[in-house]
Each structure stands twice: as structure tokens, then as C-alpha cells.
């Protein structure tokens, strides 16, 4: 068997490539050299009337592009301002609209204080079917379908539907009724009673069916209060 023994010496290239302190020093020298060149270039450009720095030239070009883009957007800005001004001029005056609608709200459902009870003739007072018809005949119809003005003078055909001198009805009057579902109360102390949860609505038919009445629905509306006495009585 042949044996080999010897030593391994490092070469100069190996020591240079893998010497971190020397490489760091070379990088620092290169950075300082770049900074020195930049300072000398800026000093030379500052003393010259014919040379311009490349970075300054780039900034000037970018600013010119931004100004050109702004000029292109000028017509769009003018159109936007015109449309905004037209929309603002056509928008309804909130204050005037509130003043026009406030009397109607105060008549149908006036605001109540915390401990104040609703008065008869208001929507908050309606709890039963007779009270609903009393409200319709005594408040709702005279307000929206009155044929006389506040001085008792008969209105002309073109003035029908005038409310508080300033408002006038131009379309249909829609009155919706929402009815709660009838169910047994869930509380133990009231389990023998019927409850009507306000959040649980239903559209199921209720009451006596019209087909079981003599004369159908017409008989109901004309003789429900008493024979010959209709629910809603219109003079004309």
C-alpha cells in the first residue's frame, strides 16, 4: 500500500475571493468613488451653460407629460361641472319640500311625546276596524278628496285634489293595510289569549267571506253599519 502525506496551501486568488473584510472595503471604496463622480459631474454642470443633467431632463419631460394629460382632462372637467350644476339646479329644495309635506304628516299622524296618548282622528288612534273606517271617512277622504276649499267654496275640476293650498294630487291614492298573524301567545301567563306579533305579517283572508253574504261585497259596504247605512258615505 502506498501512503501520501502533504500540506495544502491557499492561493492568492482564493484568499482574495473569500476575504469578507477586503470585499467590504472594496465596496465602500466603489461607493465613495461613485459619489465623488456625481459631485464632480454636478459641479461641472453647474458651471456650464450648455450641459444639462440627465435627471433634471427626465423631471422636465415627466412634468410636461403631466401638463399635457391635464390639458386633455380639461374638457371632461368642464362637462362634469356643467352636469353637476344642472343636477343641483334641478334637485328639489329639501326645506321647501319639508314645509309642504309637514301639514299632511301632522294631520294624519301627528308626532307624540313620550307619555302622550294619541287623539281620536289620528292614525295612531286606530286599533279596531270601526276606528279604521272612522279615520278613513272623517280624516283621510276629506283631506285628499275634498271638493271644497277651506272657505267652503266648491272647487273647479282643475283644482280638485288640492291640499293645504300648495299641494295637489296628480295620481292614484294608494292605501295599504298590513295585518299581523294571529297565533297563541307564547308567554305562559297569557297562553289562553291570542297574540298578533308586529314583525310576523300575513296575507291570509280573514273575517266573513263575501260569498256568504246576501248581495256580496256590495251589500257589505252598503249595509255593514246598519240596514241602508253604508260604511263610507259620500254626498256625491
Amino acid at each position: 500500500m502506498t501512503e501520501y502525506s502533504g500540506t495544502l496551501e491557499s492561493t492568492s486568488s482564493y484568499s482574495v475571493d473569500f476575504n469578507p473584510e477586503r470585499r467590504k472595503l472594496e465596496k465602500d471604496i466603489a461607493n465613495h468613488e461613485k459619489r465623488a463622480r456625481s459631485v464632480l459631474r454636478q459641479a461641472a454642470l453647474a458651471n456650464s451653460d450648455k450641459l444639462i443633467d440627465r435627471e433634471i431632463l427626465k423631471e422636465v419631460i415627466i412634468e410636461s407629460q403631466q401638463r399635457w394629460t391635464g390639458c386633455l382632462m380639461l374638457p371632461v372637467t368642464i362637462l362634469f361641472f356643467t352636469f353637476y350644476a344642472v343636477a343641483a339646479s334641478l334637485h328639489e329644495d329639501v326645506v321647501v319640500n319639508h314645509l309642504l309635506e309637514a301639514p299632511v304628516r301632522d294631520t294624519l299622524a301627528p308626532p307624540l311625546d313620550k307619555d302622550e296618548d294619541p287623539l281620536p282622528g289620528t292614525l295612531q288612534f286606530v286599533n279596531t276596524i270601526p276606528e279604521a273606517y272612522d279615520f278613513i271617512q272623517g280624516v283621510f277622504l276629506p283631506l285628499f278628496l275634498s271638493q271644497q276649499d277651506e272657505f267652503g267654496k266648491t272647487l273647479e275640476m282643475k283644482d280638485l285634489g288640492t291640499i293645504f293650498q300648495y299641494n295637489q294630487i296628480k295620481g292614484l291614492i294608494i292605501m295599504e293595510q298590513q295585518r299581523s298573524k294571529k297565533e297563541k301567545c307564547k308567554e305562559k301567563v297569557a297562553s289562553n289569549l291570542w297574540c298578533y306579533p308586529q314583525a310576523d305579517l300575513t296575507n291570509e283572508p280573514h273575517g266573513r267571506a263575501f260569498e256568504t253574504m246576501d248581495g256580496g261585497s256590495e251589500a257589505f259596504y252598503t249595509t255593514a253599519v246598519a240596514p241602508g247605512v253604508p260604511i263610507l258615505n259620500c254626498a256625491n
Side-chain angles (χ1 to χ4, degrees), residues 92-103 105 167:
E92 62 181 359
D93 193 338
V94 178
V95 177
V96 175
N97 191 31
H98 169 74
L99 294 176
L100 292 176
E101 295 179 356
R105 291 194 297 267
N167 297 343

Side-chain angles (χ1 to χ4, degrees), residues 5 44 49 55 62 70 80 82 91 100 107 111 122 130 151-152 158-160 162 175 181 184 186 200 216 225 227 230:
S5 62
D49 297 335
E55 299 297 329
I62 293 174
F80 174 79
T82 303
H91 190 275
L100 292 176
T107 302
T122 60
F151 303 107
K158 62 181 181 64
D159 296 329
L160 292 177
T162 302
M175 187 175 183
K181 186 177 181 180
K184 283 292 186 179
K186 298 180 181 179
D200 192 2
V225 179

Side-chain angles (χ1 to χ4, degrees), residues 58-76:
K58 289 173 61 177
E59 293 179 359
V60 172
I61 295 174
I62 293 174
E63 185 177 356
S64 299
Q65 291 179 349
Q66 293 177 351
R67 290 181 179 180
W68 176 250
T69 305
C71 293
L72 293 178
M73 291 298 297
L74 182 60
V76 179

Side-chain angles (χ1 to χ4, degrees), residues 74-146:
L74 182 60
V76 179
T77 304
I78 294 176
L79 290 176
F80 174 79
F81 177 77
T82 303
F83 292 151
Y84 177 81
V86 173
S89 62
L90 296 178
H91 190 275
E92 62 181 359
D93 193 338
V94 178
V95 177
V96 175
N97 191 31
H98 169 74
L99 294 176
L100 292 176
E101 295 179 356
V104 179
R105 291 194 297 267
D106 293 341
T107 302
L108 299 178
L112 301 175
D113 294 334
K114 183 177 181 180
D115 298 329
E116 185 179 1
D117 295 329
L119 298 176
T122 60
L123 190 59
Q124 298 96 319
F125 186 79
V126 176
N127 292 310
T128 63
I129 294 178
E131 290 173 354
Y133 285 111
D134 290 341
F135 174 80
I136 294 174
Q137 184 171 359
V139 179
F140 190 84
L141 292 180
L143 176 64
F144 292 104
L145 300 178
S146 177

